[in-house]
Amino acid sequence: MGDLSSAADAVLDGVVSGSPRVPGVAAVATDRDGDIYRGARGERVLGEDPFTTDTVCAIFSTTKAIGGTACLQLVEQGDLDLDAPAKEYVPRIGGLGVLEGLDDDGTPRLRPPKSDITTRQLLTHTAGLTYDFFNDTYTRLANEQGQPWVVEASYASIETPLLFDPGEQWEYGSNIDWAGQVVEGITGKRLGEVLDERVLGPLGMDSTAFSMTPSMRERMATIHAREDSDGSLIPLPGVELPPDPEVHMAGHGLYGTAEDYAKFIRMWLNDGAGPDGEQILRPETVEMACRNHLPAGMFIKMLPGVGATEVAKTVLPVSNPRLSNDAEFFPGMPKTWALSFMINEEDAPTGRPAGALAWAGLANLYYWIDRANGVGGFWATQIFPFADPTSVGGFLDFEKAVYDNAA
């Protein structure tokens, strides 16, 4: 075994000093007992305050597993049936139709779905919903019909057509935002309050929230855009998630820190137990949630980045605005979906074994959870577009450093 601190430090040094570089990065690795590495390099915004492991980031889709945890708690209580129609808990989801095509002017032609959406389908991205930066049809709806961008965190932004009948395919999108609405429908409380009471508070994640506290705002990193032409970085001051959103988006809406997310990862490594031994989730719930929940023979697919929508053009001052590059983790490897994480079905070249859990966030945040070996980690940068090669490469190098050097 080598020296984890030196190896991980070298990875972070490389991503902030190479070409192209990242403006700043925080990385934390944890085992079942506590953090085994914390490191940060670079700046929160170019030329200004240093990036630290308690720097606050928009964590985007790494929110999904936290929102999914609230659903699992309600399953444990007997209040949520994953296979019941979701409209029993949130009636407005029953109004979504299946898209049969677009007229010449982009007007959608809709029909009722053949079956009702279930919460299990929402948690597994099989309900039929997607995102405009991963799907050309949704991009047309944004450009031609004024469909709001999902980060506006409004009901209008998630009341979108289904691409197919529920349960037929895997398509990544706003599904878990609706799962958060299921939580609100059952509890009668806003999702942020539920998470504070049931997940964030018990885990000591006091720098994670839908609306930033003054302390969090003082530590916030600025999102940057990668210029297509030369890989340079452009700070995007003011590009933030809504400070008081209409909808608490379980799919992408949280701000948080690498230190906080490591606490969440550690709960999953410890079979649902929090820092004081309290069960955030029961061990049997963790075991159930970490299995593949896709229909037999269904796998997740590459996320194909599409051209910018009109919204993206207003916030990304780059030559060819994009919110995401094409994205595939471990190309060629079959991947499935748990509740609610990606599962790699074969051993990964980093050292991550088959059956481990992982996912990512739009501004190039990444994590993995290896319950078999009791190790996981979180990598936080703040760059558009998603799947930035320097960011992804750094994360995978960091993960490999953990496996090569952790005792």
Side-chain angles (χ1 to χ4, degrees), residues 119-174:
T119 305
R120 188 187 303 277
Q121 290 164 345
L122 294 173
L123 293 175
T124 55
H125 297 284
T126 58
L129 297 157
T130 187
Y131 288 135
D132 60 23
F133 45 89
F134 286 133
N135 183 272
D136 288 316
T137 300
Y138 267 38
T139 300
R140 280 194 66 187
L141 291 174
N143 289 341
E144 300 173 22
Q145 300 298 311
Q147 175 64 50
W149 189 23
V150 71
V151 295
E152 292 184 13
S154 63
Y155 286 110
S157 73
I158 59 173
E159 290 177 332
T160 53
L162 307 179
L163 294 182
F164 46 82
D165 284 296
E168 287 189 349
Q169 300 178 40
W170 186 89
E171 182 80 28
Y172 188 61
S174 57

Side-chain angles (χ1 to χ4, degrees), residues 3-18 21-28 37-57 219 221-222 224 233 258-259 364 378-383 390-391 394 398:
D3 180 348
L4 173 57
S5 180
S6 295
D9 283 351
V11 173
L12 271 61
D13 287 334
V15 297
V16 297
S17 62
R21 67 186 181 99
V22 303
V25 58
V28 178
Y37 174 83
R38 291 185 182 184
R41 295 291 190 277
E43 300 150 331
R44 293 176 185 165
V45 61
L46 293 176
E48 299 188 20
D49 294 335
F51 215 101
T52 57
T53 54
D54 69 346
T55 289
V56 172
C57 299
R219 293 176 279 130
T222 296
H224 295 69
L233 294 164
E259 289 181 6
N364 285 283
F378 190 79
W379 173 276
T381 49
Q382 292 282 270
I383 302 173
T390 302
S391 302
F398 168 63

Side-chain angles (χ1 to χ4, degrees), residues 180 183-194 197:
V183 172
E184 291 192 2
I186 291 171
T187 62
K189 299 177 180 179
R190 293 207 76 186
L191 182 62
E193 184 180 354
V194 175
E197 292 176 356

Side-chain angles (χ1 to χ4, degrees), residues 19 50 83 87 104 114 162 213 235 279 309 346 373:
S19 181
D83 298 310
K87 68 182 183 183
D104 291 342
K114 295 177 182 176
L162 307 179
T213 63
Q279 291 299 140
T309 66
E346 298 173 357
N373 292 304

